[in-house]
Amino acid sequence: MSDSLERLGAEGYAAFLAERRAQILERVAEAAARAGRDAADVEVIAVSKTVGVEEVLLAHEAGYDLFAENRPQELRRKLAGLEGDARATGITFDMIGNLQTNKVNQVIGNVRLVHSISSAHLAEAVAKRSSARGLVTDVLVETNVSGEQSKSGFSPDELRQSLDVLMTFDGICLRGLMTMAPAHDPEAARRTFCGLRELAEELRTRSGLPLDVLSCGMSDDFPIAVEQGSTAIRLGRVAFDDEYALE
Ligand SMILES: *Cc1c(COP(=O)(O)O)cnc(C)c1O
């Protein structure tokens, strides 16, 4: 259980989740309008990695359908906790975190989309294990646009070089790109998201793939991401933590 649920109680927390969701959707609508985009083209994904099953159910009641986890073990725990619960109808999960090849089997078939394909080796592992089970897994290629050492994923140049190989893997469908921006630096975030969009456009032209999913934007920078073309924002603290101040 999170601090917020403990502090506010179930009823108070449910009210917070609904009010916060409305504020988030308002920010998304404003940012989309500034960019001449349709807010309906932006998916809001509730990152539930720091909260429990009860919070996920309350958030679903507040209007979220799409959730994301960053660890396979926690994904399994959530799915097990939700299984057979009628209130969980309509909930789907994405995988957004570092994925080791030996954990791939815990993830495929259990998620709508894997955002975090950070190497050709991982792409191949997901593809092989999906194929073996007769599945095609939708994936995004995690791209280190900002070039920060601490970030995982393909550099833009690596991705330019690897795309042809990634496209040969049966068992995965390349849907688009994902990135994370440097923290606490709005202008760097803007450049990063803009760079992701331009890279996707370039690869789209070259490959003929639609690559129409751009997963970028988190609690601190999602309005900037929407302005720069994000189609999937991944929100953790701002969605679930009542002590996180939404400006
Ligand atoms: C935790 C996490 C998020 C959400 O982060 P917040 O800043 O809490 O919104 C988004 N993407 C990834 C990959 C994460 O691990």
Side-chain angles (χ1 to χ4, degrees):
M1 186 158 83
S2 73
D3 296 345
S4 295
L5 175 53
E6 199 162 333
R7 204 166 30 246
L8 302 175
E11 218 170 291
Y13 190 53
F16 159 74
L17 289 169
E19 188 191 342
R20 182 52 70 83
R21 182 166 183 274
Q23 292 168 338
I24 290 167
L25 295 181
E26 203 176 294
R27 298 297 193 286
V28 169
E30 289 163 0
R34 285 195 293 276
R37 302 185 57 206
D38 186 345
D41 294 336
V42 182
E43 283 179 339
V44 179
I45 302 172
V47 178
S48 48
K49 65 188 182 191
T50 64
V51 300
V53 166
E54 200 51 39
E55 283 91 333
V56 169
L57 287 168
L58 289 171
H60 182 45
E61 236 171 77
Y64 296 100
D65 296 323
L66 258 174
F67 294 82
E69 290 290 333
N70 70 335
R71 289 171 43 227
Q73 196 181 344
E74 181 60 21
L75 172 72
R76 277 206 324 199
R77 200 179 74 87
K78 290 270 181 14
L79 291 172
L82 293 167
E83 201 182 320
D85 192 323
R87 295 173 298 164
T89 305
I91 290 181
T92 43
F93 281 92
D94 284 359
M95 173 53 55
I96 59 172
N98 245 340
L99 186 55
Q100 290 169 322
T101 50
N102 63 347
K103 302 278 171 62
V104 164
N105 270 331
Q106 302 180 12
V107 172
I108 56 176
N110 285 325
V111 296
R112 177 195 70 135
L113 180 67
V114 177
H115 295 232
S116 43
I117 298 295
S118 53
S119 69
H121 179 62
L122 178 60
E124 187 176 15
V126 172
K128 277 195 171 148
R129 293 188 186 145
S130 300
S131 289
R133 289 166 53 181
L135 299 172
V136 176
T137 301
D138 281 331
V139 302
L140 305 180
V141 180
E142 183 170 352
T143 311
N144 183 357
V145 178
S146 67
E148 286 175 290
Q149 291 278 328
S150 59
K151 299 244 186 308
S152 45
F154 289 79
S155 75
D157 266 338
E158 275 171 348
L159 181 52
R160 288 183 184 99
Q161 285 162 22
S162 304
L163 189 66
D164 288 344
V165 172
L166 299 184
M167 286 174 69
T168 65
F169 295 145
D170 296 330
I172 56 171
C173 177
L174 300 174
R175 298 291 318 279
L177 307 183
M178 179 272 226
T179 202
M180 306 228 260
H184 315 300
D185 186 343
E187 275 323 300
R190 189 176 299 280
R191 281 195 302 278
T192 301
F193 300 145
C194 176
L196 188 75
R197 169 169 45 78
E198 290 176 351
L199 181 63
E201 280 162 13
E202 177 194 325
L203 299 176
R204 202 176 285 149
T205 306
R206 234 187 56 197
S207 67
L209 293 172
L211 298 177
D212 51 6
V213 180
L214 293 179
S215 168
C216 60
M218 315 194 333
S219 292
D220 290 336
D221 53 26
F222 70 91
I224 302 173
V226 171
E227 285 179 22
Q228 293 301 321
S230 174
T231 68
I233 54 177
R234 311 180 306 268
L235 306 181
R237 290 165 300 151
V238 69
F240 285 105
D241 180 358
D242 70 304
E243 289 189 328
Y244 181 91
L246 175 58
E247 284 136 43

